[in-house]
Amino acid sequence: MLILSIDLQRSNDSNPNSKGIFNRIDNEILAPYSIKIMYLYAIKFTAMRKLYITFILLIAGIGLNAQNAAKLRSNLPQAKAPERPMIAIEPVQQNPISAATILPGEYKKGQKGIVSVIPIGTSANAFTYGYGGGQKTMVFADDNLNAVINIHRMGPGTTPPGLSGYLAMDRGINGAAKPGDWSSNVEIYNSTISGGTYFLDAARYPQGVIYNPEGNTDPANAYAIFFAPNLSSTATTWGGLSYGRSSLMDNSDTTKHLYSYNPPPYTYIPDGMDVSKDGVVLVTDIDQDWATGSVVYQGNIIVFRGLWDDVAKDVNYEIQTVELYTESNNRPANQRVAISPDGQTAWIVALANNENLTTPGMLNYYPILFKSTDAGQTWQGPIEVQLDGPNGIKEIVYGLLSDSMMAVLYNPPLPSREEIGYTTAFDCDIVVDKFGNPHIGVIVGVTGNSDYSIVVAEKSFAAFDIYSIDGGINWYAQKMGYPQQFRGNWGDNSEDNRTQIASTMDGTKVFVTWLDTDPTFSDNNNSPNVFCRGFDLMANKTTGTLTGGKYVDLPNNVTLFSDVYNESFFACLSRYVFTDNNKYTIPIVIEGLSDVTSMDSWVQFKYIPDFYYTDADFVFSSNNPGVGIPQLNMLDVSLSEAYPTPAENQVYFSLTLDKSATVSYDIFTVSGQKLTSQIYGRVAQGIQTLQVDISSLKTGIYFIRFNVNGNTFTRKLVVR
């Protein structure tokens, strides 16, 4: 059904319609899985609306733009958003190195203040971790398993054929703290369809997460789920998808599925991926037509929503598109997705400009978000985050630039702080906290003298955690540190600060990392170290650096004097961190280049096992309202899993309350259809047993969502 709008506003209503089944090639594997394509159609805008917006911008915005541009000094170092034509398929190395010639680097146990570095897997080139700003989810730790994975392409070498299109998993167990805890280059996907220079099912730019069934602590019962673009058997270029899963411990237990290019939407190179504890997998991509050799943005974010099938031990995906209109149809710089610890609240963030905010300076990027409260089935938005101007985020408007830095950046007379335009950089990351609120790890800086550019003079940009405490109504920014350099160059390729964010599995602490080079060693960001800072959301405090027995209000240089000192070229941060009482270990993988001048050379992945914070390291109070403040009156609630399991007729839950609360529940199918509801009413303080009637349910798997004073808890039901 087509939703029409007859006024000047874009329709925000969408009606998903199933349209066909993914044309899938299950090469060598017969599996009963399909990916259905769903479309959300809406009129994007009318010509009249476009003229109206242009007129308003001319009145409200251009004067400010000219004023700001005139004041900003012209000789400042600036970086433009990377121009992204269709991503090239990298050339075959003329003299490939045999994998047998690669010797693992020496493992050295870290000294006090210096981290250890464990050599793990290898890959044919540096593009396995993405391309200029192409963050992905490659490293994923599970605290309940004490395990971590690193997903990447295999190589170097050409044996077997198509090896650079194979995918591998490096797996660390038992805390992944020693070399003996690791198994490297475990093959989880191979390419077999010949054609052209590369096999047509050769996978590229992979992502991977760990699905661990709730309550499980045995890695043998968990799975690595992977998702990657391929070269497409019908278009012989981008557009195809490779997906499947691998047993975490049994290397022979894998699945492989292929989707062949069949627009719309124009599947390309997905950037975001996350998984919930109850088996919902979300993967996001930018809808862009690359078929002509150029990339034309189609106005949508593509969402692949997967559900774990506990019988078949695999994931079934459906596709929907979420409309994101942008200024002049300009492609978003980046997009990512994350799911809350309870599995119900999900957020998509894109760095884009949709003309809904009038900001000082030239055109800039700002975070635009979409929210789902039903585990990705439906999405609300867009939600725009005002960075600058009188209604901007105070920590940015009044806290990013010092008075002395304003004098460096602007010709007199100096502008007011509300007149300064700010932009995000060109990549970001996102997690969701305990309360279902988003936290965006991103660089923010002064908007440059041209559209979509950022000033990169030292202290003109900073790494932030941009977050909400009320579901996206109000926004705050916690400054994490000032990088000294912005962009690194390796031949014809470049990489920015690669800002990423992780959280504890309970969503009470977040950690932001980025890459930065000391100007003493290089005049661009090509000799970087990893920097990190933590933010305790409950105590409302950030970490500091311990120097001379005192904490300094600065981030930590993670790789200082380590084996990857000044050589942490392309780092990847895990989605989750390890928690051991009050110790928080931050899993980080470094992509080390065999040729430091080129991204085309083979790489050695290196894992940092022993960088951590303790509760005592969170010492600097934030000036922002505490994340936990709206929840200070929230109940202390504990809800058990269903018992018995499987069950028939009746199932029970143990609910512990520190004070009485109103309780209800809804039961859903695995596809999200609500079947039944029940209101218990007021439940007394203490340990209570909740009885649920399931006599009307057929044999199968369901989800039950309890509502306790407005707080939701989702549990799995297995009915026999």
Side-chain angles (χ1 to χ4, degrees), residues 113-124:
I114 302 175
V115 297
S116 307
V117 176
I118 300 176
I120 47 177
T122 59
S123 187

Side-chain angles (χ1 to χ4, degrees), residues 73 401-410 414 417 459:
R73 296 183 188 272
L401 294 181
S402 65
D403 290 343
S404 59
M405 196 62 209
M406 287 181 62
V408 170
L409 297 179
Y410 291 93
L414 298 183
R417 293 184 179 274
K459 295 298 181 73

Side-chain angles (χ1 to χ4, degrees), residues 25-29 160-167 187 189-196 198-204 230-231 233 242 256-258:
I25 304 169
D26 283 356
N27 190 57
E28 299 179 353
I29 298 175
L163 184 61
S164 70
Y166 282 39
L167 301 182
E187 182 183 311
Y189 172 94
N190 58 14
S191 55
T192 57
I193 304 176
S194 61
Y198 291 94
F199 280 20
L200 294 175
D201 55 344
R204 294 290 193 272
N230 63 44
L231 303 183
S233 61
S242 302
K256 173 183 177 180
H257 311 289
L258 300 177

Side-chain angles (χ1 to χ4, degrees), residues 69-134:
K71 290 182 177 179
L72 192 63
R73 296 183 188 272
S74 60
N75 60 346
L76 297 171
Q78 301 180 38
K80 286 279 291 180
E83 293 187 8
R84 290 184 181 158
M86 189 173 71
I87 301 302
I89 302 167
E90 76 283 356
V92 178
Q93 296 185 29
Q94 295 301 313
N95 298 301
I97 302 170
S98 169
T101 66
I102 301 175
L103 298 177
E106 181 182 358
Y107 167 67
K108 295 180 181 178
K109 175 63 179 173
Q111 304 170 14
K112 184 177 181 180
I114 302 175
V115 297
S116 307
V117 176
I118 300 176
I120 47 177
T122 59
S123 187
N125 55 48
F127 296 103
T128 188
Y129 258 25
Y131 50 91

